[in-house]
Amino acid sequence: MTARALPRRPDVRLTELGFGAAQGGNLYRATSDEEFASAVDAAWEAGVRYYDTAPHYGLGLSERRLGAALRHRPRDEYVVSTKVGRILVPSPEDAHRRDSDGFDVPASHRRVWDFSRDGVLRSIEASLDRSGLDRIDIVYLHDPDDHWEQAAHEAVPALVDLRDQGVVGAIGAGMNQSAMLTRFVRETDVDVMMCAGRYTLLEQGAADDLLPAADNRGVGIVIAGVYNSGLLSRDQPPADAVYNYQQAPAELIERARRIAAVCETYGVTLPQAALAFVRRHPAVVSTVVGVRTEAQMVETVRRSEAVVPEDLWDALAAAGLLAALPGPGSRSS
């Protein structure tokens, strides 16, 4: 599978398709250890060598499972990213309850926001302990939306120090918005940004701020949420499709269906086009897709390998369903 180096950190190479491990933390419903391990095995067999996780995902369950699934693989052959910003504090008094943040796990810990230097160091140490890995290749600030000052002035310098010491390979932030990611690119010393849901076949807001800034500064972009939480994940979006983790508005479902109809005339499914579209931008180095099972991984790879005609993008633009954007290898404005 094709891999791209981060422009500012050429030693860190990401395969064009990345494995998102949130489902390994029992996102929305329980997943067995065996089920998740089989998904990682299928990803490895397909050539996927970039794996993303976070303490937030299942209160550490995702990190534990991912570490176990990768531990016997050659360490220099894969890249792992995790995140900082939420410290997991034991709360045994709530262990009889279920987690309230969307993960089907006991609420044996609570998440505490912490972008301080000490919080960053504690979080990384805990992630290494949970995963059993010898190092973390990429560390992202996780959803610092309401914590700009501490994230920019304490967390980023702490991560810069760790990167400069060789403890981590690259640093950045992961968010569901593009405006603050753009600010990190312009004002801090970061290497890679994870943008979830704001640059997709359905919406291209990040093309106005984040992508040009990243292109100009040599910062790599990892696209997550390529299906907009599910709306673009099926050939024909259903009436109960999810967008941004909630019921999709009727007008967005209709827009997705119109995009799907144009794709169909070119022999391409909506999910295939969704994956192919985001890779066309020169700043995008990888696309992370959340996977729960071996079957999902196999299908994701199949979609990723589909050949999508260039004329499709022109047809979508002509129908008013897609902005005119840079093609492969071109530079953004």
Side-chain angles (χ1 to χ4, degrees), residues 63 66-68 70-82 124-139 162 165-169:
E63 289 185 318
L66 184 62
L70 292 174
R71 204 165 298 145
H72 64 287
R73 317 280 187 184
R75 185 61 186 91
D76 291 339
E77 292 187 15
Y78 62 87
V79 169
V80 170
S81 58
T82 193
I124 292 176
E125 182 179 4
S127 291
L128 288 169
D129 183 61
R130 281 189 291 267
S131 68
L133 298 175
D134 63 336
R135 68 179 186 272
I136 305 298
D137 302 290
I138 300 173
V139 178
L162 293 175
Q165 295 167 22
V167 177
V168 300

Side-chain angles (χ1 to χ4, degrees), residues 206-267:
D208 296 329
D209 50 17
L210 176 61
L211 294 175
D215 210 11
N216 291 336
R217 295 290 301 273
V219 172
I221 297 296
V222 173
I223 296 296
V226 67
Y227 298 138
N228 282 118
S229 302
L231 182 52
L232 302 180
S233 65
R234 301 187 192 180
D235 295 1
Q236 294 296 328
D240 62 349
V242 173
Y243 167 80
N244 268 11
Y245 312 106
Q246 55 189 345
Q247 170 64 42
E251 61 271 18
L252 283 185
I253 294 177
E254 177 58 27
R255 180 179 178 84
R257 288 174 174 172
R258 290 175 61 200
I259 294 173
V262 176
C263 290
E264 187 176 5
T265 65
Y266 284 84

Side-chain angles (χ1 to χ4, degrees), residues 6 9 12 14 50-55 63 79-86 115 119-121 123-125 127-128 135-142 155-156 158-160 162-163 167-174 189-194:
L6 295 179
R9 304 292 158 188
V12 181
L14 308 183
Y50 174 37
Y51 300 84
D52 176 69
T53 183
E63 289 185 318
V79 169
V80 170
S81 58
T82 193
K83 306 177 182 77
V84 297
R86 292 173 171 93
F115 289 96
V120 166
L121 299 178
S123 183
I124 292 176
E125 182 179 4
S127 291
L128 288 169
R135 68 179 186 272
I136 305 298
D137 302 290
I138 300 173
V139 178
Y140 296 110
L141 306 179
H142 200 180
V156 170
L159 290 178
V160 168
L162 293 175
R163 183 191 63 197
V167 177
V168 300
I171 63 173
D189 183 13
V190 292
D191 310 302
V192 57
M193 296 281 106
M194 177 176 281

Side-chain angles (χ1 to χ4, degrees), residues 31-206:
T31 301
S32 70
D33 292 344
E34 295 75 18
E35 197 172 33
F36 181 75
S38 294
V40 175
D41 288 344
W44 189 271
E45 181 66 23
V48 175
R49 296 294 185 269
Y50 174 37
Y51 300 84
D52 176 69
T53 183
H56 171 57
Y57 303 156
L59 296 172
L61 178 60
S62 173
E63 289 185 318
R64 290 193 295 272
R65 282 176 164 168
L66 184 62
L70 292 174
R71 204 165 298 145
H72 64 287
R73 317 280 187 184
R75 185 61 186 91
D76 291 339
E77 292 187 15
Y78 62 87
V79 169
V80 170
S81 58
T82 193
K83 306 177 182 77
V84 297
R86 292 173 171 93
I87 298 292
L88 302 183
V89 178
S91 56
E93 68 277 8
D94 294 320
H96 64 288
R97 306 178 185 273
R98 306 307 287 175
D99 178 53
S100 60
D101 275 3
F103 296 90
D104 188 7
V105 295
S108 58
H109 291 71
R110 57 189 175 87
R111 302 167 179 87
V112 176
W113 289 104
D114 191 342
F115 289 96
S116 69
R117 180 182 183 84
D118 179 66
V120 166
L121 299 178
R122 289 169 55 204
S123 183
I124 292 176
E125 182 179 4
S127 291
L128 288 169
D129 183 61
R130 281 189 291 267
S131 68
L133 298 175
D134 63 336
R135 68 179 186 272
I136 305 298
D137 302 290
I138 300 173
V139 178
Y140 296 110
L141 306 179
H142 200 180
D143 297 334
D145 303 66
D146 299 323
H147 307 274
W148 164 260
E149 289 299 326
Q150 189 176 52
H153 300 123
E154 295 186 45
V156 170
L159 290 178
V160 168
D161 287 345
L162 293 175
R163 183 191 63 197
D164 292 348
Q165 295 167 22
V167 177
V168 300
I171 63 173
M175 304 178 72
N176 291 283
Q177 58 153 296
S178 63
M180 189 177 287
L181 288 178
T182 304
R183 191 174 178 189
F184 277 114
V185 169
R186 289 174 175 163
E187 299 182 26
T188 69
D189 183 13
V190 292
D191 310 302
V192 57
M193 296 281 106
M194 177 176 281
C195 180
R198 305 288 75 85
Y199 186 68
T200 70
L201 189 59
L202 187 67
E203 57 177 287
Q204 296 93 49

